[in-house]
Amino acid sequence: MKFFKALGDETRLTILSYLLKHNYCACDFTPFTGKTQTTVSKHLKVLLEAGILKYEKRGRNIIYSIRDEDTRELLLVLGIGELEPCCERQEGSPGCCKGLND
């Protein structure tokens, strides 16, 4: 039940749409979503508790990704990968962890 409740928020869906393409540092979601770091952290916590995400610490950064391939496939079947984030937020948002996905 937590899984589907976690999908009931536009900000969390935006976060997931990015994570279906790449892994990202928590700090990268602030410009992507237009939300404060505190708000983004709360959304990431909901997604973690729902078993949708996992994270890895790299130095001072926390890198988030989709938990596993089955979860990724389910999110894609639900159409979350087709969500288009606002192009204004997407462009010019290099994020603080640029290069971690290279």
Side-chain angles (χ1 to χ4, degrees):
M1 188 62 116
K2 279 187 177 184
F3 183 92
F4 290 106
K5 283 186 176 184
L7 300 180
D9 181 88
E10 183 179 353
T11 300
R12 290 192 288 271
L13 291 175
T14 299
I15 289 169
L16 290 172
S17 71
Y18 279 104
L19 287 171
L20 284 167
K21 294 171 182 63
H22 298 284
N23 299 338
Y24 284 98
C25 175
C27 57
D28 290 328
F29 294 112
T30 300
F32 291 165
T33 61
K35 306 289 183 184
T36 66
Q37 185 64 47
T38 301
T39 300
V40 167
S41 293
K42 289 177 184 178
H43 286 296
L44 290 168
K45 181 179 178 185
V46 170
L47 293 167
L48 282 166
E49 289 176 350
I52 298 171
L53 300 184
K54 64 181 179 179
Y55 68 92
E56 171 188 347
K57 283 192 165 200
R58 290 190 197 165
R60 291 178 34 191
N61 298 315
I62 299 176
I63 308 303
Y64 288 87
S65 60
I66 304 298
R67 183 184 72 190
D68 56 31
E69 202 53 42
D70 289 339
T71 303
R72 176 181 300 284
E73 288 299 317
L74 179 55
L75 294 172
L76 290 171
V77 167
L78 293 171
I80 294 169
E82 297 172 22
L83 295 175
E84 290 295 325
C86 175
C87 59
E88 181 180 302
R89 283 186 239 142
Q90 193 172 9
E91 291 179 23
S93 300
C96 72
C97 302
K98 189 173 184 201
L100 286 176
N101 291 312
D102 300 336

